[in-house]
Amino acid sequence: MSHPREEVEAVVADYVEQRRQIDAGKGKWSDLARFFTDDIVYIDPAHGRVEGLETVTAWLDDGMVGFDDWKFPIEFTAIDGDNVAVKWLQVFPNGAQQSGWTRLIYAGDGKFRYDEDMLNMAHVLEDMKSLHWRPSEGFLMPGFLGPLISRWTASPV
């Protein structure tokens, strides 16, 4: 059974505002943790499945190290019962953009129990390579990314 639409809309509006604040440099990614249940399941295209509020909260900041000058503006949201779609962009420092989506499942009491981020990692990696992007100190390296960056570094620019 779905929660009242007005309730879901209010939480989504608050979530979108929090994301705007983060993009404006007035917050950190872990500020989103207040929107998640204790048993949150978060699916990330680079890091895979992250579970539990404490783990997700730490990962939200750790997983964004090195992307301080990237922006993630939200274009729109859509709500169908407890399902929420968030359409956003990933904007690189050079202005290149990738399209991304987040699926959230609302659990009540102002919290989501599921967050799945989706984007085309092949395109993201192409843009990272063209930017000559390198991880900064503290970057949480997804397993597949290390060998790719090593090849970028070894190949002539």
Side-chain angles (χ1 to χ4, degrees):
M1 182 164 124
S2 295
H3 294 85
R5 183 171 181 90
E6 299 78 21
E7 178 182 343
V8 180
E9 286 175 344
V11 175
V12 169
D14 194 15
Y15 172 89
V16 167
E17 180 56 30
Q18 183 67 65
R19 289 272 309 256
R20 283 190 186 116
Q21 293 297 314
I22 293 166
D23 244 12
K26 299 176 184 172
K28 53 189 181 183
W29 286 97
S30 60
D31 293 341
L32 293 174
R34 69 183 173 96
F35 293 102
F36 300 138
T37 60
D38 290 343
D39 61 347
I40 180 69
V41 172
Y42 196 116
I43 308 296
D44 178 78
H47 293 277
R49 187 181 186 98
V50 184
E51 293 185 62
L53 186 58
E54 188 175 312
T55 303
V56 168
T57 300
W59 172 82
L60 282 166
D61 288 333
D62 294 346
M64 295 304 286
V65 169
F67 302 110
D68 303 327
D69 53 352
W70 298 25
K71 300 295 179 197
F72 300 87
I74 292 175
E75 292 187 304
F76 66 87
T77 61
I79 299 169
D80 182 22
D82 288 342
N83 292 289
V84 177
V86 181
K87 172 64 177 74
W88 45 271
L89 294 174
Q90 179 170 272
V91 183
F92 295 84
N94 69 351
Q97 297 181 1
Q98 299 294 333
S99 179
W101 291 88
T102 296
R103 179 190 182 201
L104 299 166
I105 300 177
Y106 188 65
D109 296 324
K111 301 192 182 285
F112 300 101
R113 64 178 175 83
Y114 184 82
D115 181 311
E116 181 176 7
D117 293 346
M118 297 160 275
L119 51 91
N120 186 323
M121 285 303 295
H123 291 162
V124 171
L125 294 171
E126 289 170 4
D127 281 344
M128 289 170 80
K129 183 177 179 181
S130 72
L131 282 170
H132 309 290
W133 183 89
R134 300 292 181 269
S136 61
E137 186 175 329
F139 178 72
L140 184 61
M141 183 74 72
F144 72 91
L145 193 53
L148 290 173
I149 291 174
S150 294
R151 277 189 268 160
W152 300 346
T153 306
S155 65
V157 177

